């Protein structure tokens, strides 16, 4: 069986072949056959304008953003990819971008990605309007959980219908701090899965939130069922941010996916 880790960040090291070799080495030792390497789009100056609103909304996000964002130009990344593509590796390597989805910046995303010739673009709902829900538990104080969950899935469905992406990252990461809405999420899962299927997109079974917060690993079982019943391709993904985490929990998530029936 082919083991895939479809979401690995390279952001904590230099753009060198040695750094990439560390991910490959770990992937081989974890029995992976394919790894998908990526960067957050905000690492590149070309995407910085999308974040003005979220930075203006919160000092915490403003500080976080200015520590991490706009450190390279997308050309630096393409040069690294070219260097890696010219070498031989024992496993397949795909290259992509994780793009924060903002409906009002669909044009910017389209313009900045259309000529990059990357292997994949994965869209993420990281912001609900200006609320950066996945940074700290205490940012949820006073938040209307029902409203936020509903809006999270509406934005994610817009993401799927935007036609900009090959896949959606961690499609129920809204649960990472253990919040639960008062209503059943099944209709939202169904709507999202339908939009993903119509746009020929994959969904990630992503263990990043589990690694960070110890919440349920990957997607909710009912979301897996919705993806399966709509024929959406599900890809296992570690969301590793360091080579050591490459391939983590992939086999466990494959088992879960196999056990869940429509
Ligand atoms: Zn993400
Ligand atoms: Zn990620």
């Amino acid at each position: 069986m082919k083991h895939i880790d479809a979401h690995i960040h390279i952001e904590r090291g230099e753009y060198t072949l040695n750094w990439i070799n560390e991910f490959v080495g770990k992937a081989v030792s974890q029995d992976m056959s394919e790894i998908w390497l990526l960067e957050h789009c905000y690492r590149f100056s070309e995407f910085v304008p999308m974040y003005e609103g979220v930075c203006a909304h919160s000092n915490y996000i403003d500080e976080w953003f200015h520590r991490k964002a706009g450190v390279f130009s997308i050309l630096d990344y393409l040069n690294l990819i070219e260097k890696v593509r010219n070498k031989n590796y024992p496993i397949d390597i795909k290259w992509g971008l994780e793009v924060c989805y903002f409906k009002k910046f669909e044009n910017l995303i389209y313009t900045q990605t259309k000529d990059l010739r990357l292997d994949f673009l994965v869209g993420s709902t990281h912001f609900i309007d200006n609320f950066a829900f996945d940074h700290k538990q205490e940012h949820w104080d006073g938040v209307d959980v029902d409203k936020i969950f509903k809006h999270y899935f509406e934005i994610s469905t817009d993401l799927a219908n935007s036609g900009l992406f090959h896949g959606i990252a961690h499609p129920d990461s809204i649960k990472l701090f253990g919040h639960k809405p008062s209503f059943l999420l099944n209709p939202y899962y169904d709507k999202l899965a339908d939009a993903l299927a119509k746009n020929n997109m994959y969904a990630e079974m992503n263990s990043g939130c589990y690694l960070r917060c110890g919440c349920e690993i990957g997607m909710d079982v009912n979301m897996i069922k919705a993806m399966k019943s709509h024929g959406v391709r599900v890809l296992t993904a570690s969301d590793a941010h360091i080579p050591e985490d490459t391939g983590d929990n992939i086999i466990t998530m494959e088992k879960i996916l196999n056990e869940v029936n429509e």
Side-chain angles (χ1 to χ4, degrees):
M1 183 181 175
K2 209 173 167 183
H3 303 299
I4 300 177
D5 186 342
H7 191 133
I8 300 167
H9 289 272
I10 63 159
E11 69 186 36
R12 304 234 179 119
E14 306 284 318
Y15 278 1
T16 62
L17 292 177
N18 278 345
W19 180 236
I20 302 309
N21 288 342
E22 289 194 37
F23 291 93
V24 174
K26 181 68 188 187
V28 169
S29 78
Q30 292 272 55
D31 213 18
M32 294 297 113
S33 2
E34 193 170 303
I35 54 173
W36 296 27
L37 302 178
L38 51 72
E39 281 271 44
H40 281 292
C41 67
Y42 57 67
R43 304 274 292 156
F44 308 111
S45 50
E46 288 85 348
F47 293 88
V48 165
M50 290 204 301
Y51 298 83
E52 260 174 36
V54 293
C55 287
H57 182 77
S58 149
N59 285 335
Y60 172 87
I61 291 299
D62 191 49
E63 277 170 28
W64 162 81
F65 189 75
H66 287 99
R67 265 197 325 272
K68 312 259 290 182
V71 288
F72 294 116
S73 123
I74 198 82
L75 273 179
D76 301 320
Y77 188 47
L78 296 181
N79 286 336
L80 170 72
I81 294 171
E82 192 60 30
K83 266 198 274 178
V84 176
R85 281 179 176 156
N86 286 329
K87 295 262 171 202
N88 283 321
Y89 289 91
I91 53 171
D92 292 329
I93 304 177
K94 289 188 189 288
W95 287 97
L97 267 186
E98 178 177 11
V99 180
C100 297
Y101 176 69
F102 297 97
K103 193 173 178 61
K104 67 175 175 183
F105 288 112
E106 284 185 356
N107 280 341
L108 186 150
I109 296 169
Y110 173 73
T111 309
Q112 293 299 350
T113 55
K114 68 180 167 49
D115 298 325
L116 297 181
R117 296 203 289 155
L118 293 168
D119 300 309
F120 69 100
L121 292 174
V122 64
S124 291
T125 305
H126 287 139
F127 299 93
I128 301 167
D129 295 335
N130 287 323
F131 177 39
F133 68 90
D134 68 347
H135 285 256
K136 281 183 160 199
Q137 164 102 43
E138 51 266 41
H139 293 166
W140 281 74
D141 290 350
V143 161
D144 181 338
V145 172
D146 277 0
K147 211 167 129 186
I148 284 297
F149 266 74
K150 190 169 171 273
H151 202 23
Y152 171 86
F153 284 102
E154 286 165 355
I155 292 169
S156 300
T157 303
D158 284 347
L159 179 164
N161 285 322
S162 71
L164 292 167
F165 307 108
H166 300 100
I168 186 167
H170 43 67
D172 64 348
S173 60
I174 188 73
K175 69 186 175 188
L176 88 164
F177 295 124
H179 298 92
K180 282 193 169 79
S182 65
F183 51 88
L184 269 182
L185 284 167
N186 293 4
Y188 291 91
Y189 296 158
D190 197 60
K191 222 173 163 182
L192 176 61
D194 185 50
L196 293 169
K198 284 187 176 133
N199 289 282
N200 200 20
M201 288 168 68
Y202 67 85
E204 285 182 0
M205 179 78 170
N206 182 311
S207 57
C209 296
Y210 169 77
L211 193 70
R212 264 183 68 200
C213 306
C215 70
E216 169 184 47
I217 190 164
M219 286 181 220
D220 180 89
V221 170
N222 287 323
M223 183 180 249
I224 299 174
K225 286 182 181 170
M227 295 301 171
K228 285 194 171 184
S229 72
H230 286 273
V232 175
R233 186 181 180 209
V234 176
L235 291 178
T236 47
S238 68
D239 219 325
H241 282 67
I242 46 171
E244 289 77 0
D245 291 339
T246 301
D248 238 24
N249 296 306
I250 296 295
I251 311 273
T252 308
M253 290 192 290
E254 283 171 1
K255 281 193 189 126
I256 298 171
L257 287 172
N258 284 331
E259 281 162 11
V260 176
N261 298 313
E262 276 176 37

